[in-house]
């Protein structure tokens, strides 16, 4: 049976699905190329109004009485979204931790969609669930490499936000188990990601105790003062390895012993910095990470995966036990006893995409060396851009980059001008830069995640910024 007049097959899976998919994928690829060509830059020009008008004009009816057919719908909608995209594959799109995905990962994702394994029970994902277990263990070993006696493990999440939530939840449940209370005090740096605050709010905990981070990183002496204040109450210290604003890494080697002395738990949010572990040369920057009780790790930032590709890593599987949960239709006791793997405790979600499939393909295709080479390349690009900024009297550099983020501003410009420059580049469709407020001033943020960016692109970015400063404010 078919919904289409031409009688074409409806479904993507099975032995016949691929034949149905092939021409449609051809249409998608053509529309992607056409849309990117029509855009001709890192993002569409004209700002929100122009883009919204294009969307409304093209779509007109979201749910027409009679459908337009697969090929027309794919062509018009994909082309529309491509021409209106902020495309991180363009080297001038460098605003956020928004990476350009690898082609091979996106290709693998087609298979994930076609087969649609759902990771909440073995009978929906027989091979995918085992693959997920293997990949999680391997990435967990990367994080806890220095701890050979343990069996580190990880959960797949929708990203750093969910991983941080789970970390706070596990700390709360641990406090409940060992101390009888159901509360834990989150203690984090002023540089911590906003999702740490939301996690405390979501879980009904007191707002985090915020420790000053005067130089962009958590100050261990100030942490000690904060932990004095929480004495008697279970505490979870959240440190950051790669801040969203500047890529800075908290001094983990100093923080670990302070946390231990106060009997607190340590979570390290390495959503950005985690993949430095792939690189023999750069992994030393994360020294001390292995002392954490849990680690957030995100492969849709420095891992070149499409969203979502997050992980929460723990030193041993037993740490995940608070998430155990029973639903008779998914993991009945007798099924589990008879040997069907129980997957429900591997997430707070129920139906869940096999994001691990494209991660597994990527890790296998590139190997540790290949992943390291990409990470090293973007860090080297940041070094280069910082050097160019420093050597150019028209700009001021915030600091040498800790990872792949460069903060700078036009010399002599006020904060309002910095903000205006950023919005002007966005509205004209010329470049996407982020913004960060540090040391009391506003900076332009170039988050370099494009391993194919060339020195020319970096020079072009600086020229665009300079040209966007209004005359009279230069
Ligand atoms: C991006 C980021 C997060 C949030 O991750 P998502 O994948 O966007 O949910 C958390 N922490 C840090 C340090 C980040 O940079």
């Amino acid at each position: 049976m078919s919904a289409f007049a031409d009688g074409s097959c409806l479904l993507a899976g099975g032995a016949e699905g691929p034949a149905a998919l092939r021409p449609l994928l051809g249409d998608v690829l053509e529309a992607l190329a056409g849309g990117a060509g029509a855009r001709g830059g890192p993002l569409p020009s004209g700002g929100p109004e122009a883009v919204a008008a294009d969307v409304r004009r093209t779509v007109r009816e979201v749910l027409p009485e009679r459908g337009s057919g697969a090929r027309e719908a794919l062509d018009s909608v994909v082309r529309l979204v491509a021409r209106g995209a902020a495309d991180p594959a363009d080297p001038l799109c460098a605003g956020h931790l928004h990476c350009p995905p690898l082609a091979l990962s996106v290709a693998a994702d087609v298979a994930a969609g076609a087969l649609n394994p759902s990771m909440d029970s073995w009978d929906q994902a027989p091979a995918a669930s085992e693959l997920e277990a293997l990949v999680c263990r391997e990435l967990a070993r990367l994080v806890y490499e220095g701890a050979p006696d343990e069996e580190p493990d990880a959960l797949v999440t929708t990203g750093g936000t969910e991983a941080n939530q789970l970390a706070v939840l596990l700390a709360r449940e641990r406090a409940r188990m060992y101390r009888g209370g159901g509360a834990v005090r989150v203690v984090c740096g002023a540089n911590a990601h906003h999702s740490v605050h939301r996690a405390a709010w979501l879980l009904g905990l007191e707002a985090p105790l915020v420790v000053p981070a005067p130089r962009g990183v958590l100050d261990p002496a100030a942490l000690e003062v904060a932990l004095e204040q929480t004495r008697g109450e279970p505490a979870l210290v959240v440190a950051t390895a790669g801040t969203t604003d500047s890529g800075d890494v908290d001094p983990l080697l100093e923080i670990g012993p302070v946390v231990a002395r106060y009997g607190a738990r340590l979570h390290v949010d390495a959503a950005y910095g985690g993949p430095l572990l792939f690189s023999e040369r750069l992994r030393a920057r994360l020294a001390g990470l292995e002392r954490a009780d849990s680690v957030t790790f995100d492969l849709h930032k420095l891992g070149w995966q499409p969203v979502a590709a997050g992980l929460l890593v723990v030193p041993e599987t037993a740490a995940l036990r608070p998430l155990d949960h029973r639903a008779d239709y998914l993991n009945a006791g007798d099924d589990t006893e008879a040997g069907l793997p129980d997957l429900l405790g591997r997430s707070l979600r129920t139906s869940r995409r096999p994001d691990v499939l494209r991660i597994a393909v990527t890790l296998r295709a590139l190997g540790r060396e290949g992943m390291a080479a990409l990470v090293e390349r973007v860090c080297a690009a940041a070094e280069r851009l910082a050097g160019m900024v420093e050597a150019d009297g028209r700009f001021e550099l915030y600091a040498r980059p800790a990872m792949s983020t460069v903060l700078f501003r036009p010399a002599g410009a006020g904060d309002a001008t910095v903000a205006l420059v950023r919005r002007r580049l966005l509205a004209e469709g010329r470049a996407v830069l982020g913004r960060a407020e540090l040391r009391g001033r506003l900076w332009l943020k170039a988050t370099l995640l494009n391993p194919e960016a060339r020195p020319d692109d970096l020079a072009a970015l600086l020229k665009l910024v300079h040209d966007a400063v209004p005359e009279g404010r230069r």
Side-chain angles (χ1 to χ4, degrees):
M1 84 136 247
S2 167
F4 298 117
D6 64 4
S8 58
C9 176
L10 270 176
L11 306 180
E16 300 190 355
L21 264 176
R22 184 166 289 129
L24 300 177
L25 288 177
D27 293 339
V28 170
L29 299 181
E30 238 170 77
L32 281 176
R39 187 182 65 237
L43 82 163
S45 62
E49 271 177 35
V51 176
D54 185 23
V55 172
R56 280 191 237 107
R57 196 179 328 110
T58 307
V59 174
R60 285 199 308 272
E61 283 181 292
V62 168
L63 179 63
E65 191 54 33
R66 286 198 72 182
S68 65
R71 304 196 76 164
E72 188 287 329
L74 282 171
D75 179 69
S76 61
V77 178
V78 174
R79 197 176 289 268
L80 166 71
V81 173
R83 93 179 153 251
D87 185 353
D90 187 309
L92 299 176
C93 185
H96 300 278
L97 286 162
H98 172 211
C99 73
L102 298 172
L104 90 140
S105 177
V106 173
D109 214 27
V110 173
L115 297 167
N116 201 27
S118 184
M119 310 301 279
D120 45 326
S121 64
W122 185 86
D123 55 7
Q124 300 176 85
S129 58
E130 183 62 17
L131 181 67
E132 182 177 276
L134 287 179
V135 170
C136 283
R137 287 204 182 276
E138 186 67 23
L139 289 171
R141 274 195 291 271
L142 185 73
V143 171
Y144 289 107
E145 208 163 48
D149 303 339
E150 293 177 342
E151 268 283 300
D153 201 353
L155 298 180
V156 175
T157 70
T158 51
T161 300
E162 191 194 358
N164 286 342
Q165 279 168 8
L166 286 170
V168 177
L169 173 65
L170 291 178
R172 189 192 72 181
E173 291 308 294
R174 194 185 155 82
R176 193 199 296 281
M177 257 185 326
Y178 292 107
R179 310 258 198 135
V184 64
R185 189 70 195 273
V186 177
V187 178
C188 66
N191 59 350
H193 193 258
H194 64 86
S195 61
V196 174
H197 295 260
R198 269 193 154 173
W201 168 76
L202 177 70
L203 293 165
L205 302 172
E206 219 179 313
L209 192 57
V210 176
V211 178
R215 278 171 298 281
V217 293
L218 199 152
D219 174 19
L223 175 63
E224 211 154 342
V225 173
L227 286 173
E228 271 302 329
Q229 277 181 50
T230 66
R231 259 194 196 286
E233 157 183 46
L236 173 70
V237 173
V238 179
T240 310
T243 61
T244 314
D245 276 351
S246 60
D248 281 307
V249 181
D250 284 342
L252 302 177
L253 286 172
E254 292 170 65
I255 289 170
V258 174
V259 171
R261 201 163 342 116
Y262 284 86
R265 306 285 288 176
L266 176 63
H267 172 67
V268 177
D269 179 355
Y272 180 10
L276 262 60
L277 294 172
F278 289 118
S279 162
E280 292 300 343
R281 194 152 62 68
L282 300 176
R283 66 175 296 137
R285 295 189 192 177
L286 303 188
L289 182 69
E290 68 287 347
R291 313 254 316 237
D293 297 296
S294 53
V295 174
T296 287
F297 192 94
D298 216 335
L299 286 167
H300 61 234
K301 288 168 171 185
L302 276 182
W304 295 279
Q305 301 300 302
V307 176
L311 293 160
L312 176 74
V313 187
V314 291
E316 47 173 358
T317 308
L320 303 171
R321 208 161 290 146
L323 301 176
D324 281 352
H325 185 64
R326 179 121 356 242
D328 218 47
Y329 73 107
L330 294 171
N331 62 351
D334 56 311
D335 276 351
T336 306
E337 256 166 51
L340 291 184
D342 172 2
L343 307 182
L344 205 51
R346 309 283 308 172
S347 179
L348 288 181
R349 288 177 279 161
T350 305
S351 300
R352 187 159 64 82
R353 279 176 55 81
D355 295 320
V356 75
L357 170 49
R358 52 183 149 70
I359 296 175
V361 168
T362 303
L363 296 178
R364 182 178 176 93
L366 275 71
R368 181 156 162 159
E369 278 180 19
M371 295 300 290
L374 293 179
V375 173
E376 288 168 11
R377 228 188 280 173
V378 297
C379 290
E383 274 298 326
R384 182 186 286 270
L385 178 62
M388 291 163 73
V389 167
E390 226 167 18
D392 187 331
R394 297 173 303 171
F395 301 106
E396 184 185 341
L397 180 69
Y398 170 76
R400 300 301 298 192
M403 275 187 226
S404 70
T405 295
V406 180
L407 300 177
F408 66 104
R409 43 189 283 147
D415 285 356
T417 302
V418 172
L420 179 78
V421 164
R422 189 184 96 88
R423 284 192 296 271
R424 187 179 257 194
L425 294 171
L426 289 179
E428 293 174 358
R430 292 181 197 279
V432 185
L433 286 171
R435 54 184 283 165
E437 211 178 309
L438 285 164
R439 287 199 217 117
R441 293 203 294 165
L442 190 63
W443 302 84
L444 293 170
K445 175 171 83 164
T447 314
L448 303 180
L449 294 182
N450 190 325
E452 301 201 312
R454 296 158 314 176
D456 286 1
D457 298 315
L458 303 177
L461 188 62
L462 290 182
K463 177 168 173 17
L464 283 169
V465 169
H466 177 72
D467 292 349
V469 179
E471 294 283 351
R473 296 208 215 167
R474 285 184 190 158

